[in-house]
Amino acid sequence: MGLRAIARHLGWGRHTVQRYARAARWQDMVTGRRTRTSRLDLHRLFLQRRIDETDGKISIIELRKELADRGHPVPYSSLRDWARSRLQWPHAPTPAAAAPSVRTVVGWITRHPDTLTEDEGKQLKAVLDACPELEQTHELVRDFAQILAQRMGADLPDWISSACDAQLPGITGFARRLIADLEAVIAGLTVHWSSGGTEGAVNRIKKIKRQLYGRAGSDLLRKMILLQSPSATAPQDVAPSQPRPTGHVHAPTASPQAWPPSVDSPGRGRPCPQ
């Protein structure tokens, strides 16, 4: 099989197949991105020797000056980037792990503690230890989640007082807005009844209204709502069919195979009584 046929079979480019065919081993093709050559590679031994002689205390500015004295001036940024990736520096600090993003920390705080992995729990603890305000926010969020999950509406006023005293952005404003309709909020967090059925009916009416593209009046909208109401579409009890009286001649119904009727059939496609 030729290289073109292999490329068509695999869905690869022809040049990619050629590189694999010319490689001595397939491992040579999966080593990752190739390192581009640089003109500074010619001075690698000299620069590495200078770093070892000074125990890594020589700076990039000094290395650049020594290269310029040898007749090879290079830009500072090019030498800096090249030296960081190509040269070995003794006592080089270990790069610090990337800090978690704000979205990640918010997810850890709002999720149930049982759903966090061991590593996520350790990272969350480190973040909370570094920020006392965030630790207080975490406690308020956990308390509110417990009130919401266990329907402990009687504890809501105490939680609102604690949230207002904390003076935390977001949490304090949310708590103050709950005071405007406190009785309804407490009832929603205490009793098992809800307005879910009413909200569902309102959403169904809005959906029907949007389907009409704003072109229907109130009469047509009323008919559409009544026709699509759950009571209209619910199956009803059908009375058992009564036996037909004898001696009555019925017209035979057309079989599914007879549809559509031919043009030459009598009655323009309607079955004729026998």
Side-chain angles (χ1 to χ4, degrees):
M1 181 180 293
L3 297 181
R4 293 181 181 272
I6 294 175
R8 287 193 299 267
H9 178 73
L10 297 176
W12 293 2
R14 180 169 56 88
H15 298 289
T16 303
V17 176
Q18 286 180 351
R19 288 197 298 269
Y20 272 89
R22 295 170 182 174
R25 303 180 307 160
W26 66 268
Q27 291 86 349
D28 299 338
M29 300 300 298
V30 294
T31 55
R33 185 177 179 180
R34 296 181 179 178
T35 304
R36 299 179 59 181
T37 58
S38 172
R39 60 175 181 172
L40 292 173
D41 293 339
L42 300 175
H43 312 284
R44 182 173 184 176
L45 296 178
F46 168 74
L47 295 174
Q48 186 65 53
R49 185 175 70 252
R50 294 292 298 131
I51 293 174
D52 296 338
E53 291 174 354
T54 59
D55 196 18
K57 296 180 180 180
I58 190 171
S59 63
I60 301 295
I61 297 178
E62 295 173 348
L63 290 176
R64 178 173 177 269
K65 184 177 182 302
E66 293 183 6
L67 283 178
D69 294 340
R70 294 168 62 93
H72 301 285
V74 293
Y76 170 81
S77 58
S78 300
L79 179 60
R80 178 198 59 195
D81 298 338
W82 180 87
R84 288 178 178 177
S85 60
R86 305 293 180 86
L87 300 179
Q88 296 181 359
W89 297 81
H91 313 295
T94 304
S101 63
V102 176
R103 183 187 297 269
T104 302
V105 176
V106 171
W108 292 342
I109 293 176
T110 55
R111 283 165 52 188
H112 196 280
D114 296 341
T115 62
L116 298 177
T117 62
E118 183 178 358
D119 183 62
E120 291 175 344
K122 293 180 179 179
Q123 295 187 56
L124 177 60
K125 186 178 183 304
V127 172
L128 299 180
D129 293 341
C131 183
E133 292 81 4
L134 199 58
E135 170 68 24
Q136 194 173 7
T137 302
H138 177 258
E139 294 178 357
L140 291 173
V141 171
R142 287 283 181 262
D143 294 341
F144 186 80
Q146 185 177 4
I147 294 174
L148 183 63
Q150 300 182 6
R151 295 187 177 275
M152 301 167 57
D155 298 339
L156 183 62
D158 297 337
W159 183 88
I160 293 177
S161 300
S162 301
C164 293
D165 295 340
Q167 295 297 322
L168 295 172
I171 297 292
T172 302
F174 172 73
R176 289 174 179 173
R177 286 190 291 269
L178 294 178
I179 301 177
D181 202 3
L182 183 60
E183 295 182 358
V185 177
I186 293 177
L189 295 175
T190 305
V191 300
H192 294 276
W193 295 282
S194 66
S195 59
T198 304
E199 295 295 337
V202 172
N203 290 335
R204 183 177 59 85
I205 294 174
K206 290 181 178 179
K207 177 184 176 182
I208 297 173
K209 187 176 180 180
R210 286 194 294 266
Q211 289 176 346
L212 300 177
Y213 297 98
R215 301 177 182 177
S218 59
D219 296 336
L220 179 57
L221 180 61
R222 177 177 179 274
K223 291 182 180 179
M224 293 289 294
I225 293 173
L226 293 176
L227 290 175
Q228 297 187 20
S229 61
S231 60
T233 57
Q236 302 177 357
D237 296 335
V238 180
S241 58
Q242 300 294 333
R244 295 178 178 177
T246 58
H248 185 74
V249 179
H250 300 277
T253 58
S255 60
Q257 292 79 5
W259 186 263
S262 61
V263 180
D264 298 334
S265 60
R268 293 186 180 181
R270 291 176 294 179
C272 297
Q274 300 295 333

